[in-house]
Amino acid sequence: MYGSLALALMLFALREFTPESVWNEKMLKFSFWLLNIGLVVMLLFGPIPNGFYQLTQSIDYGTWYARGETVMGSQWMHWTVWTRVPRDVIFSIGALAMFILVVRAIIAIFRTPSLPSQEKPYPIEG
């Protein structure tokens, strides 16, 4: 939640300073969708199925058993750990695209000369 808000604030500020010629909407959309698809797949194949598995074990045998080594070391838990690889790859590609976008924007900001303002910030009354 807070990571998404931090990315949004960073992109909001970065967009104001980045020259039009460098800002890449396609890469931003690509990154946005891969990050979000990766997060959804993480939920659907990680905490949700594991939570329901532990819930059924807890109902049948008790909480102490559901949190014990038998359940946590079961084939089901090991299998869901390996299902993490594809979802992490999807998320990582999105994060890499975001990183490339940000690095290009920062480089462009420092390469673009700032134009001096014609107005003085504080007019002198005299």
Side-chain angles (χ1 to χ4, degrees), residues 58-112:
S58 177
I59 291 170
D60 292 342
Y61 304 106
T63 304
W64 60 270
Y65 181 79
R67 297 297 297 163
E69 188 177 334
T70 307
V71 172
M72 299 305 286
S74 68
Q75 286 291 71
W76 172 261
M77 292 294 192
H78 286 290
W79 181 78
T80 57
V81 166
W82 282 104
T83 62
R84 185 178 177 140
V85 172
R87 57 190 177 194
D88 284 352
V89 168
I90 293 170
F91 186 83
S92 297
I93 292 170
L96 181 64
M98 177 73 70
F99 177 76
I100 291 169
L101 175 83
V102 169
V103 167
R104 285 182 182 172
I106 291 172
I107 290 171
I109 290 170
F110 285 111
R111 284 189 179 170
T112 305

Side-chain angles (χ1 to χ4, degrees), residues 19-39:
E20 274 301 315
S21 60
V22 179
W23 192 254
N24 190 345
E25 284 290 323
K26 286 183 180 181
M27 184 176 283
L28 184 61
K29 287 178 185 177
F30 177 75
S31 173
F32 169 82
W33 284 110
L34 283 182
L35 286 171
N36 284 300
I37 289 169
L39 287 173

